[in-house]
């Protein structure tokens, strides 16, 4: 799966996107566990951030497929 | 109903929307960069967008709001990159038959923008 | 706080207000003449004002509203005489630190205008 | 006293202003009686119209002096 990082999340990870290998679909919880293994500092954003796929926020019960592109959306501040 | 959304690093030049038959009310909002952020003087803000999603979410939101309030058109421009103090980060124009729906769409859109549209102030350039 | 009120038969050309330090929100409303009045097609409306009183009442009202909502400035232009379809009869610009007070002043002013400001639509020119 | 007529009131009276002689201050009610003697058709506007003096609406209990300039303000429709 491909993960996109924006704003504060990108500053934490140091990259704007990366590949995370996964063989099976993951729940949001499992997906976050994988992210935090790689970037423990993302824990600071976990409760405030949302996941998005195909330009839409992911429902809490969605499964994330191995080839999905997932964006990590920290709290927004546009306008 | 006509909805247009533009995210660009170009300077926002508010332009009057094309006159539409039946429109009696045009409401606009311009959000400009103030000279301070969190109490510190600044010269600019830096905005970043997850552009395809931001455009999609704004468009979907505007279709929903314009239909709910019977508005004829909404045009939104959001600037990204460096936006100097005094310049516009966002400009919205709503056209409707009457003023109440135009005001309602303007206010509701701005509220939702600040909750659900993936655009971020990522940095400030100090004075 | 800066309040300007203009009643004139000249075409209204909305102009951006001068940038003011601390302003982050600019909200505008333009009321245009629609192509029908009470269901009948028209080409223009005719507006009449008791000009000194209309200016005084608008000014007083805006001072009160701008103070109550902490707005920096309000500019109002109201056209009188023949106003053709599609052209603006009124244009208001409110500058404030944040958007909520700007929206509040805009909406409240328009409500009060339609109750207490001696300006009248006196005639319609049929299509 | 001088009376100013606007919009529908002017269409009824046919004049935009006129002098109405008065020797003593009048209540709003007495003032309206004088107007209606001259222009009975103004009765149609009586309940919906307000009186103004010095660019302000007159309080209900105000007295109108012999040299006052009074504007008859029919329901407004600006904007």
């Amino acid at each position: 799966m491909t993960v996109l990082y924006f704003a504060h999340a990108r500053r934490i990870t140091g990259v704007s996107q990366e590949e995370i290998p996964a063989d099976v679909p993951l729940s949001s919880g499992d997906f976050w566990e994988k992210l935090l293994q790689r970037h423990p500092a993302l824990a600071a954003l976990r409760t405030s951030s949302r996941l998005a796929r195909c330009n839409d926020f992911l429902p809490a019960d969605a499964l994330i497929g191995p080839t999905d592109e997932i964006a990590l959306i920290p709290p927004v501040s546009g306008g | 109903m006509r909805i247009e959304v533009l995210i660009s690093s170009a300077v926002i030049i508010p332009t009057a929307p094309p006159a539409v038959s039946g429109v009696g009310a045009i409401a606009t909002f311009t959000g400009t960069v103030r000279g301070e952020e969190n109490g510190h003087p600044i010269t600019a803000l830096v905005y970043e967008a997850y552009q395809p999603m931001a455009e999609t979410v704004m468009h979907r939101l505007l279709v929903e709001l314009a239909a709910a309030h019977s508005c004829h058109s909404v045009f939104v421009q959001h600037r990204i990159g460096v936006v100097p103090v005094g310049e516009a980060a966002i400009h919205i124009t709503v056209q409707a038959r009457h003023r109440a729906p135009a005001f309602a769409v303007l206010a509701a859109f701005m509220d939702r923008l600040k909750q659900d549209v993936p655009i971020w102030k990522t940095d400030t350039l100090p004075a």
Side-chain angles (χ1 to χ4, degrees), chain A, chain B:
Chain A
M1 45 197 61
T2 306
V3 187
L4 309 181
Y5 300 108
F6 297 95
H8 191 38
R10 192 187 61 244
R11 268 186 244 145
I12 288 173
T13 63
V15 295
S16 58
Q17 71 176 74
E18 68 182 345
E19 287 300 317
I20 295 188
D23 301 327
V24 295
L26 301 179
S27 68
S28 293
D30 292 341
F31 177 81
W32 268 103
E33 289 313 309
K34 272 194 183 279
L35 290 191
L36 295 177
Q37 279 164 24
R38 289 176 169 245
H39 310 286
L42 283 179
L45 292 180
R46 171 141 188 195
T47 57
S48 61
S49 298
R50 287 175 285 179
L51 302 177
R53 179 175 59 193
C54 297
N55 298 330
D56 205 354
F57 291 108
L58 269 188
D61 59 354
L63 287 179
I64 298 168
T67 60
D68 284 358
E69 182 182 85
I70 301 296
L72 181 60
I73 311 288
V76 305
S77 51
Chain B
M1 194 198 304
R2 183 167 163 186
I3 309 290
E4 283 186 26
V5 171
L6 180 68
I7 297 175
S8 157
S9 58
V11 172
I12 291 177
I13 299 169
T15 47
V20 177
S21 170
V23 164
I26 306 165
T28 76
F29 173 73
T30 309
T32 57
V33 174
R34 286 184 291 122
E36 55 94 15
E37 183 79 359
N38 301 323
H40 299 286
I42 63 168
T43 57
L45 285 175
V46 182
Y47 284 91
E48 172 185 338
Y50 177 22
Q51 192 157 342
M53 179 171 168
E55 287 174 351
T56 303
V57 172
M58 283 199 272
H59 207 283
R60 193 188 301 137
L61 181 54
L62 289 171
V63 166
E64 178 191 308
L65 290 173
H69 297 279
S70 300
C71 286
H72 287 73
S73 76
V74 189
F75 298 79
V76 174
Q77 295 166 269
H78 200 300
R79 188 165 167 192
I80 52 175
V82 175
V83 185
V85 164
E87 297 190 11
I90 189 165
H91 181 73
I92 309 162
T93 302
V94 182
Q95 290 182 308
R97 190 170 185 84
H98 299 295
R99 70 187 189 283
F103 291 156
V105 166
L106 210 51
F109 175 74
M110 285 305 300
D111 289 347
R112 294 286 296 275
L113 172 81
K114 287 168 182 289
Q115 290 166 10
D116 292 334
V117 176
I119 299 177
W120 300 269
K121 289 174 194 161
T122 53
D123 207 357
T124 56
L125 305 186

